[in-house]
Structures are given as C-alpha cells and as structure tokens.
Amino acid sequence: MKNLKRISLLAILMAFVISCTSMKNDANNPVTGKVESIEGGKDGYTAKITTDSKEVYFATISIVNVGGPQNYKQVKIGDVISVKGEKWKSEDENHIKVTQIVSVK
C-alpha cells in the first residue's frame, strides 16, 4: 500500500513538471491573429485576438510588461498582430500576458 501511494505521488509530480515545462516552451511560440476588439486599461490595453485556426486569445499589453515605451505599440481593430508572452487558460478563455510585440500589420 505504501508503494502504491509513493508511485501515485511520483506520477502526479512528474505530470506537474511536464506541464510546467510545456508551458515555458509554449511561451516562445507567438500568438498571431486579427485584433477583434480593444479594451483600455491603466497602463495599456487588452486586445481580443482571433487566430487563423479560430482560437481566441485575450492579450494583455502594457508598457511595463513589454519593457518600456520604446517597445510598446498601440494597435487598432482589424490589425494583424503577433505577440509572445506568458500564456494561460481560465475556464474557456485563452490569455496571454504580452512580453514582446513581434509585429503589427
């Protein structure tokens, strides 16, 4: 019985480590899509981005998180934007805290 508990604990720990590793690697993959809406915030904005594969991301873009005003860009509805950052999912929504604006077209 003790061995079963140890094996279960080890399996859970391994699953946690693997999921954290995949999230870190995923941060290097940019999110690219069309800006559908923009909601202003204190030092930036949140852009709703729809990708070509119909995934929707809520991208939080702030001056602080992109490294200062020299890296900050204001986008418009209809722009195609590519961003990198920390991704997470809450219930049925995809989010990304943008640390780099790769391109705006």
Side-chain angles (χ1 to χ4, degrees), residues 1-14:
M1 189 67 172
K2 283 186 176 183
N3 285 339
L4 183 60
K5 287 182 180 179
R6 287 181 183 167
I7 291 171
S8 298
L9 181 61
L10 182 60
I12 291 169
L13 182 63
M14 287 176 58

Side-chain angles (χ1 to χ4, degrees), residues 56 58 88-95:
V56 175
F58 292 93
W88 75 94
K89 188 169 189 153
S90 67
E91 294 183 20
D92 59 342
E93 294 181 343
N94 296 312
H95 296 267

